[in-house]
Amino acid sequence: MFGTGLFGLSKSLQAQDEQSMPLRPREARHGNGPATGAFLPMITPDVADLAHELDGGVKVFHLVGEPVKRKIAPFKTIEAWGYNESCPGPTIQVQQGDRVRVVFENRLPESTSLHWHGLEIPIEQDGVPYISQKPVAPGEKYVYEFTVHQEGTFFYHAHSAMQEMMGQIGFFVAHPEKDYKPRVDHDYGLILQEWAVLPSNTVPNTAAMEFNWLTFNGVSAPMTTPLFARLGSRVRLRILNLGMDHHPVHLHGHQFVVTGTEGGRAPESSWCPMNTVLVGVAQARVVEFEAKYPGAWMIHCHLPHHMMNSMMDLLRDRQIQTADQTDVKALNQMESLARSVPFQHVHHAPIAQDAEGVPGFPQDAFMEMGMDEVVEKPETYGLPKNWSAGMMGMMTMIRVLPDREYDAIVSRKKMGSPSRQEEHHHES
Ligand SMILES: [Cu+2]
């Protein structure tokens, strides 16, 4: 069972399967409850939404800061910190104009606070230890409450640098009172993070400046759940970065326009065609595009070292190297690795007969670790054999699918998560 890719979803987390529903008129869509209006919820692949309850007119969320074991690859689990058993934390979605209360509980071993990045709220709600509030001690609760007058892609995070690097961040999306124009059919969010986890370790080294694990929404490719869109639909993608590096995020096969930043919607006069957007630290970039061309199109950070993970803890005696490697040796290592982790081993791409005599060899040879079966989920249905060998690090894909294939994935998702369907009130 892969589902959302999270360990033990708590009941406070509401699974996101808007994605599993076929496209239908916008008027039929609603958020988590009786919001002030209808909006198309954003999907955060591999991360759940945070449900809320209503108290009078106030949307009340319960957020718990705590240590989280996060499986970032089929064979690698790290001990991060996050919220509500999730890292990154669950996605909060509200609507412009909402009054929001977040009851925060600190189950970390040290003091913390919650900062609402980009929101124009009173200073008492700003979440900076000692400046705007007393730090929230372990075991304590703290209540944040404010009115959201903005629209856009914001986020919450601990206002402590090392806690940020332990993973303490989550989306806070404020949907506009009135739909953006043009409307989109799919809305996806990706949080970019990087981790330094030394060999044989599980706890990120938050003082490191070099990172060996790169994740979208807390998982590395090919474990990232593919995005999917109906051919001909319009797609919004919100990309959020909180780490030590800036990430140029590239989309294959389509041009997009940047329609917003961490400050909200951008005027249409500023939109220009691109296919790579630099997402700086603490920034969000919102892009939109028409899903015109069928296929499985990569979305990835284009920094070469972020298109892979440095698997030094995994490969043991074969760390990344460019010498003293033979085909036979590499295959033996891959096979023993596949037995020990375990994943399914698919033979790597061919090499030349005289490869070992060529200076510089190997580079990408032997890097491919096919693991289709181990990362299989409804969203991977129908991908070509060994697709997973082409995906590493900060990488996912958007599958642009004609009706029949789109519907096949939707129905597989439904079959895979029958219990979650009960939460839906969308009927066509
Ligand atoms: Cu990057």
Side-chain angles (χ1 to χ4, degrees):
M1 252 311 277
F2 285 87
T4 61
L6 287 174
F7 284 125
L9 286 177
S10 81
K11 278 184 184 151
S12 64
L13 295 182
Q14 181 165 311
Q16 297 187 338
D17 39 6
E18 175 69 15
Q19 184 182 40
S20 70
M21 305 306 290
L23 293 181
R24 55 172 46 80
R26 175 54 168 269
E27 290 65 39
R29 298 176 195 258
H30 296 275
N32 291 343
T36 48
F39 59 81
L40 173 70
M42 181 186 82
I43 304 285
T44 318
D46 303 304
V47 171
D49 263 10
L50 187 63
H52 69 265
E53 56 210 34
L54 283 173
D55 179 13
V58 183
K59 285 184 178 172
V60 183
F61 295 88
H62 294 268
L63 205 52
V64 179
E66 60 188 357
V68 174
K69 281 189 166 51
R70 182 55 152 153
K71 191 176 193 175
I72 59 173
F75 39 78
K76 186 72 184 177
T77 297
I78 64 170
E79 298 189 77
W81 290 2
Y83 301 93
N84 299 48
E85 302 179 12
S86 178
C87 179
T91 293
I92 297 177
Q93 307 205 49
V94 302
Q95 196 161 22
Q96 189 176 21
D98 279 345
R99 183 76 179 170
V100 174
R101 183 181 307 145
V102 179
V103 180
F104 174 64
E105 184 183 342
N106 181 12
R107 287 189 204 157
L108 294 172
E110 60 187 41
S111 296
T112 188
S113 63
L114 276 182
H115 171 61
W116 309 95
H117 191 105
L119 288 175
E120 297 173 348
I121 52 179
I123 183 67
E124 309 81 60
Q125 308 301 324
D126 196 44
V128 179
Y130 304 109
I131 306 289
S132 60
Q133 69 168 86
K134 260 177 45 189
V136 185
E140 275 187 3
K141 285 190 178 179
Y142 193 94
V143 179
Y144 296 89
E145 185 165 329
F146 45 82
T147 301
V148 179
H149 74 85
Q150 295 154 278
E151 48 70 26
T153 308
F154 307 103
F155 51 106
Y156 61 88
H157 63 81
H159 206 274
S160 308
M162 300 294 98
Q163 292 176 2
E164 289 173 17
M165 293 308 290
M166 283 295 279
Q168 297 218 270
I169 181 178
F171 267 114
F172 185 100
V173 173
H175 293 276
E177 263 167 352
K178 286 186 172 175
D179 280 344
Y180 296 130
K181 299 264 184 307
R183 295 189 323 192
V184 296
D185 306 295
H186 301 276
D187 193 337
Y188 288 106
L190 297 173
I191 293 180
L192 283 49
Q193 290 171 292
E194 46 195 358
W195 312 90
V197 189
L198 296 171
S200 307
N201 277 244
T202 52
V203 179
N205 175 3
T206 57
M209 295 290 285
E210 289 183 353
F211 302 93
N212 56 339
W213 289 94
L214 288 301
T215 56
F216 277 154
N217 293 341
V219 280
S220 262
M223 204 170 162
T224 44
T225 297
L227 284 48
F228 67 104
R230 204 186 277 281
L231 180 63
S233 65
R234 185 174 175 89
V235 180
R236 176 181 300 130
L237 182 57
R238 310 177 194 239
I239 313 159
L240 175 55
N241 177 17
L242 193 61
M244 287 292 294
D245 291 297
H246 311 301
H247 303 284
V249 177
H250 176 56
L251 168 68
H252 285 208
H254 294 76
Q255 313 308 316
F256 56 62
V257 288
V258 177
T259 58
T261 71
E262 68 284 351
R265 189 76 166 175
E268 195 166 341
S269 57
S270 74
W271 300 359
C272 62
M274 315 166 78
N275 48 56
T276 308
V277 63
L278 185 63
V279 189
V281 174
Q283 292 185 329
R285 288 293 176 268
V286 182
V287 305
E288 291 178 14
F289 58 96
E290 304 292 339
K292 286 186 204 171
Y293 308 108
W297 302 104
M298 312 292 322
I299 299 170
H300 64 94
C301 174
H302 219 300
L303 288 188
H305 284 189
H306 294 180
M307 297 172 62
M308 60 186 198
N309 297 306
S310 164
M311 310 272 215
M312 53 202 186
D313 52 338
L314 178 65
L315 295 178
R316 301 178 186 119
D317 58 330
R318 187 170 77 81
Q319 300 182 8
I320 286 181
Q321 59 180 28
T322 55
D324 189 30
Q325 185 59 288
T326 66
D327 196 18
V328 171
K329 195 174 155 195
L331 280 175
N332 284 339
Q333 285 168 334
M334 294 297 275
E335 271 157 22
S336 61
L337 182 63
R339 278 194 299 274
S340 67
V341 278
F343 65 83
Q344 141 221 26
H345 174 232
V346 183
H347 197 287
H348 62 72
I351 59 171
Q353 265 189 342
D354 61 348
E356 284 148 30
V358 178
F361 177 85
Q363 295 296 332
D364 285 275
F366 317 128
M367 295 244 318
E368 299 146 354
M369 292 188 288
M371 53 185 96
D372 296 6
E373 287 172 19
V374 127
V375 298
E376 187 181 355
K377 58 194 91 169
E379 292 87 344
T380 65
Y381 175 66
L383 285 169
K385 182 175 159 55
N386 212 21
W387 66 272
S388 56
M391 295 192 63
M392 285 166 265
M394 201 176 257
M395 199 176 272
T396 186
M397 63 170 71
I398 182 157
R399 304 186 64 192
V400 178
L401 300 167
D403 287 344
R404 218 175 109 195
E405 293 161 51
Y406 181 92
D407 294 337
I409 288 184
V410 168
S411 64
R412 279 179 171 254
K413 277 180 69 76
K414 280 182 184 165
M415 287 188 305
S417 55
S419 59
R420 291 204 262 138
Q421 296 307 306
E422 293 165 13
E423 292 172 12
H424 272 278
H425 44 267
H426 312 278
E427 301 298 335
S428 40

